[in-house]
Amino acid sequence: MSRFFSSKYKNLIPYTPGEQPKDTVYVKLNTNESPFMPSDKAIKYASEAAKKLQLYPDPECRELTEKLADTVGVKYENVLVTNGSDEILNFAFMAFCDENHPVVFPDITYGFYSVFAEINNIPYEEIPLSPDFTINVNDYIGINKNIFIANPNAPTGIALTLSEIEEIVKSNPDNVVVIDEAYVDFGNESCIPLINKYDNLLVTQTFSKSRSMAGARLGFGVGCRELINDLNTIKYSTNPYNINRMTMAAGIGILEDEACTKANCKTITENREFTAEELKKLGFEMTNSTANFVFAKHPEMDGNEIYLKLREKGILVRHFSKKEISQYNRITIGARNEMEMLVNALKEILKEN
Ligand code: PMP
């Protein structure tokens, strides 16, 4: 730490992204990226956009936002696109939470929520999951605090139903409820239509998973016009050109090829079922994940040891040291051959044990 670092950040523990080692070529199943390239249209549009990099991008992101609004079935005024969904999540913490508007989220969830709360000096409470890792909806009914819930949750992959989400939103009318749908496209219905009924609901999604664009950094939020206006105030006060030209163009290309996104999601869902079946045969226990990952533990082998042994064999998965989940590994669903390599590696590891 330099002697200039503000004391207000001295206790800040930053978010730790999944490792990206360069020592060898790994089968990368640790950051929930898509195994598929983005559609040709996205690549073509982004290349064309690169020819105009000397010019600032459109700060309104009008064409992309219009297309996106159309795709998710809302109006232009209901959408804000951001630099990854991490940015809209941070904007939501900045815009709607403060000492008088504290926030709650599950104790086991996306690790960035607590970091956003910390950096923005927002009091927060982490509500324990049930022992089976499900979110207990009653814990959030009428809690009268702002709420962040990933649905499906990470790293468990377990989803709440639409009616459970609606109960939470309905029972906290004076608080903002943010539903983070980063993984919604792999087997769940989005709660976006509820924004027309509830002015306290913000839904966030990302192009990083189902739309194969993690490297481009594109996410978005959907909510009533007033919520989006507030989030725009934060955007124009921090980074008006938050979406670069190439990302904007690639986003338009991806949205013009929804069939490709749907086909990729179907393949990933099938690969998830394949992986879950194979892991079960090897004695693994898993949550009922509807995301592009499984969350698995083995009764006879330590979670961290499995992670390390897989790493030695060139396969990266994500292990979290937090006590309640330290026996588990979160394994991203990749292409079928990658999942076969994983299963074979696990067979060997269990045999060696
Ligand atoms: N929400 C959840 C639950 C996530 O797991 C992630 C990805 N790490 C994000 C949001 C952020 O994704 P991105 O910024 O790539 O859109």
Side-chain angles (χ1 to χ4, degrees), residues 90-92 94-95 229-239:
N90 188 34
F91 284 177
M94 290 172 79
N229 281 349
D230 295 341
L231 293 161
N232 261 310
T233 301
I234 303 292
K235 165 184 148 166
Y236 282 98
S237 307
T238 50
N239 191 6

Side-chain angles (χ1 to χ4, degrees), residues 15 31-32 82-87 89 109-113 150-154 180-183 204-209 213-214 217-220 293 318 330:
Y15 174 73
T31 46
N32 297 341
T82 53
N83 193 309
S85 56
D86 281 338
E87 188 176 54
L89 291 166
T109 190
Y110 184 34
F112 226 141
Y113 300 157
N151 198 47
N153 197 13
D180 172 353
E181 295 190 333
Y183 302 105
T204 65
Q205 288 193 12
T206 180
F207 280 57
S208 298
K209 321 291 177 186
M213 272 181 50
R217 312 306 299 125
L218 187 61
F220 60 100
F293 53 81
R318 186 89 195 248
R330 191 196 67 191

Side-chain angles (χ1 to χ4, degrees), residues 27-39 186 207-214 260-261 263-269 271-272 292-293 331-339:
V27 175
K28 238 183 131 287
L29 305 177
N30 68 328
T31 46
N32 297 341
E33 291 145 324
S34 172
F36 307 116
M37 278 174 65
S39 96
F186 304 101
F207 280 57
S208 298
K209 321 291 177 186
S210 59
R211 294 195 162 93
S212 301
M213 272 181 50
C260 170
T261 297
N264 287 345
C265 289
K266 183 164 176 281
T267 306
I268 289 171
T269 308
N271 290 353
R272 181 184 68 217
N292 67 338
F293 53 81
I331 305 169
T332 303
I333 302 302
R336 183 60 72 105
N337 69 318
E338 293 177 309
M339 303 327 287

Side-chain angles (χ1 to χ4, degrees), residues 52-73:
K52 289 201 174 158
L53 280 181
Q54 76 277 22
L55 302 175
Y56 281 111
D58 171 16
E60 273 186 54
C61 295
R62 186 161 270 276
E63 190 185 346
L64 171 61
T65 307
E66 275 170 357
K67 234 186 187 91
L68 186 52
D70 217 39
T71 306
V72 302

